[in-house]
């Protein structure tokens, strides 16, 4: 039993080392490793698969953030319908709705990229980058609105933390995607004779 445990630790350590190398281009390396490790422990994923899983993780977090902000917005609508708190939360709800849509579109475009292979690669690449970039902007807009508004207490802190996490995951997803596309292009360069 001790030997089985030791092998498990070595395997997990190898997965972590692999991910640390894959995540080195991201701004939030620890978050990248932590969120992707459960997927790499099961099977080593290549750059394309890691980029896709990273987008899926980001979309999942954006959806849970959307559910939370929607709940807070409903509560504020019931209790403080004319306050600035409600306006800031409603704006965050608009931003996260847009963010979920944009990350969903990025994932769909990524799937088209896989299906088309080289055909329209650059078009698909630009679309994924644009939609993930727009999701990053939406997260910033919400956080900026919360900071400039008078929302206090638990709701403000929780929404801010959730949006910052979505922003960090989106940033990591974009970095992982760019890493994949750079490697893909480099492997498909036709050398002149």
């Amino acid at each position: 039993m001790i030997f089985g445990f030791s092998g498990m630790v070595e395997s997990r350590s190898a997965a972590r080392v692999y991910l640390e190398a894959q995540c080195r281009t991201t701004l939030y390396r620890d978050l990248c490793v932590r969120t992707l490790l459960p997927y790499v422990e099961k099977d080593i994923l290549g750059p394309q698969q890691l980029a896709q899983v990273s987008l899926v993780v980001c979309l999942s977090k954006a959806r849970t953030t959307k559910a939370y902000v929607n709940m807070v917005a409903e509560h504020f609508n019931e209790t403080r319908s004319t306050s600035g708190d409600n306006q800031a939360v409603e704006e965050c709800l608009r931003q996260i709705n847009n963010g979920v849509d944009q990350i969903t579109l990025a994932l769909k475009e990524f799937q088209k990229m896989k299906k088309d292979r080289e055909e329209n690669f650059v078009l698909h690449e630009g679309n994924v980058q644009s939609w993930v970039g727009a999701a990053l902007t939406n997260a910033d807009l919400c956080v900026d609105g919360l900071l400039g508004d008078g929302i206090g207490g638990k709701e403000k802190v929780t929404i801010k933390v959730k949006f910052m996490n979505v922003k960090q995951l989106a940033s990591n997803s974009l970095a992982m995607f760019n890493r994949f596309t750079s490697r893909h292009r480099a492997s498909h360069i036709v050398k002149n004779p």
Side-chain angles (χ1 to χ4, degrees):
M1 189 159 236
I2 292 175
F3 292 102
F5 179 74
S6 176
M8 187 175 182
V9 170
E10 288 175 22
S11 173
R12 183 174 185 156
S13 177
R16 178 173 283 284
V17 168
Y18 171 75
L19 260 184
E20 287 170 352
Q22 299 298 310
C23 293
R24 74 178 179 272
T25 59
T26 64
L27 289 177
Y28 309 99
R29 290 182 188 115
D30 291 341
L31 179 64
C32 180
V33 171
R34 194 171 60 247
T35 57
L36 297 178
L37 190 58
Y39 303 95
V40 173
E41 284 179 333
K42 297 173 189 169
D43 194 19
I44 296 297
L45 305 176
Q48 183 177 10
Q49 294 166 310
L50 283 173
Q52 185 169 357
V53 168
S54 184
L55 280 168
V56 168
V57 169
C58 181
L59 179 59
S60 175
K61 185 55 135 177
R63 285 178 174 158
T64 59
T65 299
K66 176 182 172 179
Y68 178 78
V69 176
N70 192 46
M71 179 189 70
V72 171
E74 287 175 4
H75 172 74
F76 280 8
N77 282 335
E78 293 170 3
T79 60
R80 316 177 226 192
S81 61
T82 61
S83 74
D85 291 354
N86 187 40
Q87 291 174 351
V89 171
E90 288 292 333
E91 183 58 30
C92 284
L93 186 56
R94 277 191 291 281
Q95 299 304 331
I96 196 64
N97 282 333
N98 289 340
V100 166
D101 291 345
Q102 290 154 341
I103 297 166
T104 300
L105 288 170
L107 269 167
K108 287 179 181 178
E109 195 72 23
F110 199 178
Q111 290 167 348
K112 288 179 190 175
M113 177 185 270
K114 285 175 30 180
K115 181 182 172 190
D116 288 353
R117 299 189 187 243
E118 295 311 303
E119 189 178 328
N120 299 317
F121 185 86
V122 174
L123 173 68
H124 295 310
E125 177 184 17
N127 287 341
V128 171
Q129 290 168 334
S130 294
W131 285 318
V132 176
L136 281 164
T137 300
N138 287 327
D140 279 337
L141 289 171
C142 170
V143 171
D144 290 348
L146 288 175
L147 293 176
D149 194 87
I151 295 180
K154 181 181 171 187
E155 292 91 357
K156 178 180 179 179
V157 172
T158 303
I159 290 172
K160 181 182 173 192
V161 167
K162 287 180 176 293
F163 267 84
M164 291 304 294
N165 191 242
V166 170
K167 177 184 173 181
Q168 292 169 352
L169 289 169
S171 173
N172 284 351
S173 294
L174 189 56
M176 297 299 282
F177 177 76
N178 288 337
R179 187 170 198 275
F180 153 67
T181 58
S182 293
R183 287 180 164 231
H184 178 83
R185 271 196 305 282
S187 71
H188 286 79
I189 292 176
V190 178
K191 297 183 179 181
N192 291 331

